[in-house]
Amino acid sequence: MTAGAKATGRGRKGLETSRQVYPALKAYKIEMEQAKEEGKLIAWCGGGTTSIEILHAMDILPQHIDNMAAIFAAKQLSKEYCEAAEEDGFPHDFCSYYRTMWGYVKAGDKADPRVASIAWPEPDLIVGSNSVCTTHANGANMLARHFGVPVFNFDVPTVHPRMDVHRDPDHRYKEHSHIGTTYPHEFEEHYVNYVLEQNKRFIEFLETVTKRKLDMDRLKEVVSLSSRASQFFFELQDLRRAVPCPVGGADIMSLVTPSFIWAGTERALRIYQEAAAEARGRVERGEGAIEHEKFRLFFESIPPWYNLGLFGYLEDQGAISVIEAYPLMFCCLMDFEKPLESLARKQLSWLYNYSMIERHDFCLRAAETYHLDGAINWNVICCKIFAGFAPLFRDRFNDVLNLPVLTLDADQADPRDYAQGQVEGRIDAFLELLEQRKAATANAGLVA
C-alpha cells in the first residue's frame, strides 16, 4: 500500500460501557500519578502473559506497552514516534508498537504536547514475556536499560500440538469447543510446573523490589475477580451469536483494555458486567448494533488502531464484525483456590502459544455458530506471527467453512502503510461478492 493516506478515524461505539473505557483510562493515569507520589510502584508490561493479577495483588499499578502504543495510534500520534524510532536506527518493518514506544520515550520532554492527557508515569520496573514473540522480551530489556529499572521476563513455551485428537484435519477443529483463553486439552504437567515456577520467581522478584511479602489471600481475591470478569466477557461474546448481533467490533476492541491492565480488579469486573448486561438487554429486545444487518463477519488479527472507523465503514454498508480472535485471548476462567497454578494455565492458554494449526482450529470452532457470511483478515505487516498465519486462515476458512476471506495488508499502529481509498475499494468489492453469494443461495432455494 502507498504512503500518504488521508486522515483516519475513530471507532463508532454503540455500547455506553465501551464509551466509558477511555475516560476510565484517563482516570487511571491520574491514579497512577498520585500513587507514584505516595511511593507506590508503576510497572510497564509487554507481551500477553505477564501475570497482571500478581502485580495488582502486590499493589503495583501496571500499564501495558501495547496498550499505550495503540492509544497513541488512536490519537493519531504514532506516525511521528515511528519516524523518530527509525531515525534512531529501527527498521521500518520492525514492530510498530515498539517503534511507537521508543520514539515516545526518546522524545522525553519534547514529546508532542497532545500526549499530555495520556502520558503515563515512568516505570519503576518492566515486565516482559516471549509468549508472542522475542520482540516483547527484547523490548522490555531495551526499555529497562533506558529507564534504569529492574526487569523480569517470562519464558512461556509453545504448547506442542495435539495431533492425536483428530487425524482428519477437516474435523480436528471441532474438538476446540472453548471460547476464550482456554486450551481445550489437558496440559502435560511439565508445562504447568515450568510456568508455575516462573510465577514463584516473579513473586520473589517483586518482593525484592517492593521489600514486602505477597499476601496469598489477597492473590486469591484478585484471581477470583479476574475469573469473574472473564465470565462476563465470555457471556458478552456468546450473546453476539444472536441475529441481529447486539455488539460490533469497535466496541469489543475498546473492551480489550480492562483485561490488558485491570485483570483482577473491581474496575474490570464492573466494566464487563455492565457490557454483558447491555448486550443481554439488546438481545432480549431484538435490537442489533446496526439497523439493517446484511453480512456477519469474522475479523482476524490486531485491528488498525489509528482507524477503528473501519468498523463503522463496514456497518454503514450493513456488514458487522460479530467475532474477533484477538480479544478472546486475554480472559480466562480460573480456580482462585489454586492461584499460581491457575495463572500458569492462563499463561499457557495464550492463543499465540498454540501451533499454527491448533490456532486456526480454535478460530474455526469459535466461528462455527456465529452465522457468518465471510471473514476479514487484517494482515499486520510488521508482526510476523500474524503475517505467517494469514494464508492458513484464508485457505482453511474457505475449505472447511466455505467462507470467503478478504485479506488486507497494513499495520496496526503505523498509518503510513495504510491507504484508505484502496482499503475501502477492496471492502466494497468483497461485500459485493457476499451479496452475489446470498442472491445465488436464495435463487437455488427457489428452484429447489
Side-chain angles (χ1 to χ4, degrees):
M1 290 192 176
T2 59
K6 67 180 183 181
T8 51
R10 297 180 180 179
R12 187 170 62 216
K13 304 175 186 70
L15 292 182
E16 177 59 32
T17 307
S18 60
R19 288 194 289 268
Q20 295 173 5
V21 171
Y22 183 65
L25 267 173
K26 294 177 71 172
Y28 183 59
K29 169 190 178 295
I30 295 171
E31 290 174 25
M32 295 175 80
E33 291 170 340
Q34 293 173 341
K36 199 168 179 72
E37 290 178 1
E38 296 167 3
K40 293 182 180 179
L41 301 184
I42 306 298
W44 283 13
C45 305
T49 56
T50 51
S51 287
I52 294 294
E53 290 88 347
I54 294 177
L55 291 170
H56 283 296
M58 292 288 290
D59 206 21
I60 298 170
L61 280 69
Q63 180 52 284
H64 205 288
I65 294 165
D66 293 11
N67 181 257
M68 287 190 275
I71 292 174
F72 289 148
K75 293 296 180 183
Q76 311 298 316
L77 295 167
S78 55
K79 174 179 175 290
E80 62 183 84
Y81 291 142
C82 285
E83 290 173 342
E86 289 163 23
E87 290 173 2
D88 209 31
F90 283 74
H92 178 75
D93 62 352
F94 186 75
C95 174
S96 59
Y97 281 161
Y98 280 89
R99 277 186 290 137
T100 298
M101 289 309 299
W102 188 248
Y104 165 67
V105 300
K106 288 289 284 185
D109 293 338
K110 298 178 182 178
D112 192 303
R114 289 176 293 168
V115 308
S117 64
I118 52 175
W120 290 272
E122 292 186 357
D124 300 293
L125 64 148
I126 306 283
V127 187
S129 171
N130 67 354
S131 58
V132 179
C133 62
T134 56
T135 299
H136 281 287
N138 292 331
N141 291 334
M142 175 183 70
L143 290 170
R145 287 193 297 270
H146 174 80
F147 288 110
V149 299
V151 60
F152 185 96
N153 270 306
F154 282 95
D155 175 33
V156 181
T158 299
V159 178
H160 192 275
R162 287 288 301 274
M163 296 304 181
D164 60 319
V165 176
H166 286 299
R167 294 296 180 185
D168 183 348
D170 290 336
H171 296 286
R172 184 180 56 238
Y173 78 92
K174 294 180 182 294
E175 182 72 13
H176 291 248
S177 58
H178 295 266
I179 292 293
T181 307
T182 308
Y183 191 70
H185 315 302
E186 182 58 31
F187 290 114
E188 296 175 0
E189 282 304 306
H190 65 89
Y191 284 110
V192 179
N193 291 336
Y194 182 72
V195 182
L196 190 152
E197 287 301 316
Q198 288 186 69
N199 275 315
K200 290 180 179 178
R201 291 201 297 274
F202 183 45
I203 291 169
E204 292 173 359
F205 166 79
L206 295 178
E207 289 177 339
T208 300
V209 172
T210 62
K211 297 181 173 56
R212 50 190 171 80
K213 292 290 184 181
L214 169 69
D215 183 338
M216 192 56 68
D217 288 335
R218 171 61 180 153
L219 180 61
K220 290 180 180 180
E221 179 185 351
V222 167
V223 168
S224 176
L225 284 169
S226 180
S227 184
R228 288 166 58 199
S230 297
Q231 205 161 10
F232 284 111
F233 187 76
F234 295 154
E235 179 188 352
L236 173 62
Q237 298 298 336
D238 289 341
L239 288 164
R240 300 176 74 203
R241 291 189 174 97
V243 180
C245 179
V247 183
D251 286 275
I252 297 300
M253 293 303 176
S254 294
L255 289 168
V256 169
T257 295
S259 54
F260 248 125
I261 56 177
W262 298 322
T265 67
E266 293 282 356
R267 178 185 269 125
L269 175 60
R270 183 184 67 254
I271 289 172
Y272 287 151
Q273 187 172 14
E274 291 176 359
E278 277 195 80
R280 196 182 312 116
R282 286 185 173 184
V283 171
E284 290 170 354
R285 295 188 298 271
E287 296 175 2
I290 59 178
E291 189 173 355
H292 300 294
E293 180 179 292
K294 295 171 61 179
F295 309 114
R296 296 169 63 88
L297 304 176
F298 187 116
F299 187 95
E300 160 59 9
S301 189
I302 306 174
W305 297 111
Y306 48 81
N307 190 25
L308 288 182
L310 174 72
F311 291 103
Y313 182 80
L314 288 165
E315 291 170 3
D316 286 341
Q317 300 180 76
I320 182 169
S321 174
V322 299
I323 180 172
E324 309 80 20
Y326 178 70
L328 293 175
M329 59 190 174
F330 299 103
C331 292
C332 187
L333 302 181
M334 294 181 285
D335 181 358
F336 73 92
E337 293 291 356
K338 300 177 181 178
L340 293 181
E341 179 182 332
S342 292
L343 289 171
R345 291 179 180 277
K346 178 181 179 181
Q347 289 167 281
L348 287 165
S349 298
W350 178 252
L351 184 57
Y352 302 113
N353 286 349
Y354 296 11
S355 70
M356 284 288 190
I357 291 174
E358 287 198 296
R359 176 177 161 194
H360 197 268
D361 288 346
F362 172 92
C363 290
L364 289 172
R365 178 57 183 159
E368 195 174 35
T369 58
Y370 280 79
H371 314 290
L372 297 178
D373 297 294
I376 291 179
N377 183 17
W378 195 260
N379 185 26
V380 180
I381 58 178
C382 81
C383 188
K384 307 307 180 282
I385 199 167
F386 284 103
F389 184 57
L392 179 64
F393 181 89
R394 178 197 63 221
D395 294 344
R396 291 198 67 215
F397 251 69
N398 190 277
D399 295 343
V400 179
L401 299 183
N402 191 29
L403 292 174
V405 177
L406 171 63
T407 300
L408 297 170
D409 305 298
D411 193 72
Q412 81 261 33
D414 187 346
R416 292 174 297 167
D417 294 308
Y418 177 83
Q420 185 96 339
Q422 185 176 344
V423 168
E424 291 179 357
R426 294 190 65 195
I427 288 174
D428 292 346
F430 182 65
L431 296 182
E432 184 176 340
L433 168 65
L434 297 187
E435 186 75 65
Q436 291 170 357
R437 281 169 59 97
K438 277 185 175 289
T441 301
N443 290 335
L446 288 174
V447 171

